[in-house]
Amino acid sequence: ASLPPLLWAEDEVGTAAVAGRRLRGSALEGAVVAYCRATVDRRRKFAAKVGSTPALLALADVDLFVEWHVYRWATQVIDSRSIWWNGRRHLVPSLDLVNAASTDELPPGTPVHRTDLDAAGKNAVTRAATSFALGEQVLEDYGQPNHVLFLYHGFVLPVNDHDCLRVDLDVGPDTVDVRQKLRHHRFPSLTHTACLRSSFLKN
């Protein structure tokens, strides 16, 4: 199995080199580099926070927490295994072992994965989207296009009804006037990622 992009190389420069070889010309080349760079930046801020917090410095093996290889591994676990409900991410052991299914592996109309809290608000509830025979692998529809699956999980699905063409737009230049216009049109930043589907491309 292919490693997810964050684990391709030991540092940002190495990741960019691998992305250049494997993904040259695609939007994912820049996305992989940006993802690695953002992880490096978050790790640096986390290390600074730990270094300025006496209670954290007092913890045993605290240096291990901010070591790049450990922080990168933790980021990969959270980004690839989190289960979402109520707008927040959660780690749910065992549930995160359910693999993604290609569209042709599930009956037509099978709903996308969904997790909710029970009536008491204490337990997460995820129901199988369809029936599975005894001993059959339980699969689910992740509901994500292939560029998302590749970036955070390291795989793509051969048949994926959620797939689309990723297009990254860089508005620039970074001026007050440009930012005011973007805010007026409800764009929060100078960059925007669009996902074009086949129905749009045919028109």
Side-chain angles (χ1 to χ4, degrees):
S2 175
L3 288 173
L6 192 60
L7 305 182
W8 279 354
E10 295 302 312
D11 55 30
E12 184 181 344
V13 174
T15 300
V18 177
R21 292 195 302 271
R22 297 181 179 179
L23 304 169
R24 184 171 304 281
S26 74
L28 270 173
E29 179 184 357
V32 166
V33 174
Y35 178 38
C36 183
R37 182 179 302 122
T39 304
V40 170
D41 289 344
R42 286 196 301 270
R43 181 258 172 193
R44 177 178 51 78
K45 293 176 182 176
F46 176 69
K49 180 69 174 178
V50 170
S52 62
T53 307
L56 293 177
L57 287 173
L59 295 175
D61 299 321
V62 67
D63 291 342
L64 183 64
F65 300 160
V66 298
E67 200 271 333
W68 165 242
H69 293 87
V70 174
Y71 187 88
R72 181 181 62 165
W73 168 83
T75 297
Q76 181 60 56
V77 168
I78 292 172
D79 286 351
S80 65
R81 296 188 172 275
S82 290
I83 308 296
W84 288 79
W85 66 82
N86 292 349
R88 299 181 63 184
R89 299 194 296 183
H90 305 78
L91 290 178
V92 187
S94 295
L95 179 58
D96 63 359
L97 296 177
V98 179
N99 285 323
S102 287
T103 300
D104 58 352
E105 293 182 293
L106 297 173
T110 299
V112 171
H113 166 93
R114 180 183 177 91
T115 295
D116 297 293
L117 291 181
D118 60 11
K122 294 182 178 180
N123 301 298
V125 179
T126 302
R127 301 185 185 280
T130 188
S131 298
F132 294 92
L134 181 65
E136 184 180 5
Q137 180 182 189
V138 175
L139 298 172
E140 64 183 11
D141 184 345
Y142 279 18
Q144 297 284 359
N146 277 339
H147 71 83
V148 172
L149 297 176
F150 183 85
L151 185 60
Y152 298 110
H153 300 269
F155 69 86
V156 297
L157 299 173
V159 182
N160 185 355
D161 279 357
H162 305 286
D163 206 12
C164 60
L165 174 64
R166 174 175 172 146
V167 178
D168 292 327
L169 305 174
D170 187 358
V171 180
D174 188 359
T175 65
V176 173
D177 181 57
V178 169
R179 286 191 174 274
Q180 287 177 343
K181 290 179 179 179
L182 288 172
R183 284 197 297 269
H184 176 73
H185 293 287
R186 299 182 181 179
F187 285 92
S189 71
L190 293 170
T191 60
H192 178 70
T193 297
C195 209
L196 305 182
R197 303 191 184 280
S198 57
S199 58
F200 176 86
L201 296 173
K202 291 176 182 178
N203 293 333

